[in-house]
Amino acid sequence: MSDIDMAEIDITHEVCPMTFVRTRLALDRLPAGGKLLVRLRGTTPLDNVLRSLKLLGHVVEEIQTETDGMTHRLTVLKSPAA
């Protein structure tokens, strides 16, 4: 899967635990090794989503913070075992 084929979700208006629920549902639709760009807002969702992704064996390849300082973009590589 190339970067052009990367799936994207915007969960900036969601609150925990729905931030991870939406992320997991999006990852479930991807093949192993697929990439997902997750856009979320706030430090609590960021911490919770990062922790949950790690526990499931996914790899967060990149974390970018947008200019507002509160919105984050995660590039997630789906685990081959998931």
Side-chain angles (χ1 to χ4, degrees), residues 7-26:
E8 295 183 31
I9 60 169
D10 184 338
I11 54 173
T12 53
H13 298 292
E14 299 287 348
V15 295
C16 296
M18 290 308 295
T19 51
F20 182 67
V21 170
R22 299 252 187 249
T23 302
R24 182 154 186 191
L25 289 172

Side-chain angles (χ1 to χ4, degrees), residues 6 13 23 27 32-33 35-36 42 44 48 51 53-54 63-64 71-73 79:
M6 185 182 323
H13 298 292
T23 302
L27 282 167
K35 288 189 179 182
L36 177 66
T44 300
N48 291 338
R51 183 178 57 250
L53 289 169
K54 183 178 179 181
I63 303 170
Q64 296 178 327
T71 306
H72 310 281
R73 297 166 54 99
S79 167

Side-chain angles (χ1 to χ4, degrees), residues 20-82:
F20 182 67
V21 170
R22 299 252 187 249
T23 302
R24 182 154 186 191
L25 289 172
L27 282 167
D28 286 348
R29 290 189 291 268
L30 293 177
K35 288 189 179 182
L36 177 66
L37 177 66
V38 181
R39 189 168 180 261
L40 53 83
R41 183 170 177 78
T43 56
T44 300
L46 176 64
D47 293 342
N48 291 338
V49 169
L50 287 173
R51 183 178 57 250
S52 298
L53 289 169
K54 183 178 179 181
L55 286 171
L56 292 174
H58 302 297
V59 176
V60 177
E61 294 185 324
E62 184 175 20
I63 303 170
Q64 296 178 327
T65 302
E66 295 183 7
T67 56
D68 66 2
M70 289 298 296
T71 306
H72 310 281
R73 297 166 54 99
L74 311 177
T75 303
V76 181
L77 177 65
K78 182 176 179 176
S79 167

